[in-house]
């Protein structure tokens, strides 16, 4: 049973206070050395990829597909668009972008191209530095939950009653809130449609 298969059923757990229990000794795959470069750790934990080259790393983090890295893409690569880094100040965010551009933006035009990145990694034999922002979570909430929690502590045989970790409860609570909001908006749409059909002389003046 995958996360998408239990969302509707699991929302019933959101109002129940459950103990966290023991996660066990689950570990990410592939396993990398704790002293490995940040890029290697990032690819292993965030993408579960062990073998990659500079071009593929660049393409994977070219989020808008325009063949360049801009400031926002640098921030997202380092996980600074994720809630886990919401405490990072704007000056520190600006500093990270500035430092990365100073390293790789060789023509100083404010963006990093694939050629520049490949030169930095393959020709100059350098690597993206660890900026102290964690492994770089930048997937959407569903992806983050699946890769960072579900794959560590659950599997295809997981039953609904096993989803008792706080991470499970919080995840499905968000789904329930989203569904309630969608229902509210749907009701508002119905009301708007009905009011439009009321003759003008009978409508309430705003």
């Amino acid at each position: 049973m995958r996360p998408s298969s239990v969302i509707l059923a699991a929302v019933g757990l959101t109002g129940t206070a459950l103990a966290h229990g023991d996660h066990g000794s689950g570990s990410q795959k592939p396993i990398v050395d704790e002293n490995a470069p940040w890029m290697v750790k990032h690819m292993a934990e965030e993408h579960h990829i062990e073998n990659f080259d500079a071009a593929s790393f660049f393409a994977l983090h070219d989020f808008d597909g325009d063949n360049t890295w801009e400031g926002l893409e640098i921030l997202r690569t380092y996980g600074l668009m994720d809630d886990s880094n919401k405490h990072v100040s704007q000056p520190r965010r600006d500093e990270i972008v500035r430092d990365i551009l100073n390293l790789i933006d060789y023509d100083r035009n404010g963006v990093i191209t694939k050629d520049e990145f490949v030169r930095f990694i393959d020709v100059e034999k350098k690597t993206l530095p660890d900026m102290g922002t964690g492994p770089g979570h930048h997937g959407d909430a569903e992806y983050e939950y699946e890769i960072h929690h579900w794959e560590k502590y659950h599997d295809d045989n997981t039953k609904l009653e096993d989803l008792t970790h706080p991470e499970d409860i919080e995840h499905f609570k968000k789904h329930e809130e989203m569904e309630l909001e969608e229902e509210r908006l749907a009701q508002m749409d119905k009301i708007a449609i009905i009011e439009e059909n009321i003759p003008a002389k009978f409508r309430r003046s705003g």
Side-chain angles (χ1 to χ4, degrees):
M1 181 181 291
R2 303 300 291 170
S4 57
S5 303
V6 299
I7 288 171
L8 293 179
V11 292
L13 295 173
T14 58
T16 306
L18 296 167
H20 183 278
D22 182 11
H23 278 327
S25 57
S27 60
Q28 67 190 31
K29 294 182 180 180
I31 297 174
V32 298
D33 187 273
E34 63 179 12
N35 296 316
W38 181 84
M39 285 178 63
V40 174
K41 291 180 179 179
H42 169 78
M43 291 295 281
E45 182 163 343
E46 185 67 14
H47 301 286
H48 287 195
I49 295 174
E50 183 173 14
N51 299 310
F52 61 92
D53 58 18
S56 61
F57 187 98
F58 181 89
L60 190 60
H61 299 86
D62 177 18
F63 299 108
D64 61 7
D66 67 351
N67 297 312
T68 63
W69 279 7
E70 300 170 348
L72 287 178
E73 286 165 306
I74 294 171
L75 292 175
R76 187 173 176 185
T77 296
Y78 275 99
L80 287 160
M81 310 301 284
D82 186 79
D83 283 347
S84 62
N85 278 315
K86 61 183 179 182
H87 63 282
V88 179
S89 68
Q90 189 59 50
R92 176 56 180 155
R93 293 167 185 265
D94 295 341
E95 181 182 34
I96 289 172
V97 171
R98 187 166 55 249
D99 287 349
I100 297 303
L101 288 174
N102 285 339
L103 284 173
I104 313 175
D105 178 21
Y106 295 103
D107 61 8
R108 297 294 185 258
N109 69 341
V111 298
I112 298 170
T113 65
K114 183 173 74 172
D115 287 344
E116 287 175 321
F117 189 75
V118 170
R119 171 183 167 183
F120 178 74
I121 300 295
D122 291 345
V123 178
E124 299 190 2
K125 304 299 181 184
K126 297 179 180 178
T127 186
L128 285 178
D130 185 344
M131 306 304 284
T133 58
H137 299 323
H138 53 235
D140 60 23
E142 196 69 34
Y143 173 82
E144 294 291 343
Y145 169 76
E146 179 162 352
I147 199 168
H148 295 300
H149 181 76
W150 181 278
E151 291 188 5
K152 288 183 179 181
Y153 308 121
H154 305 304
D155 57 33
D156 290 340
N157 297 315
T158 296
K159 298 178 181 178
L160 177 60
E161 56 265 30
D162 297 327
L163 299 175
T164 59
H165 301 159
E167 295 89 344
D168 300 320
I169 304 303
E170 180 64 23
H171 179 73
F172 294 118
K173 179 181 178 182
K174 288 181 179 178
H175 274 283
E176 184 178 36
E177 290 172 349
M178 289 170 60
E179 289 169 6
L180 289 173
E181 180 63 15
E182 289 173 357
E183 290 177 5
R184 186 183 71 82
L185 292 175
Q187 289 299 321
M188 289 179 63
D189 286 341
K190 290 180 181 178
I191 293 173
I193 292 173
I194 292 172
E195 287 183 346
E196 287 175 0
N197 291 330
I198 298 175
K201 65 180 180 179
F202 295 118
R203 293 182 189 176
R204 291 177 298 177
S205 57

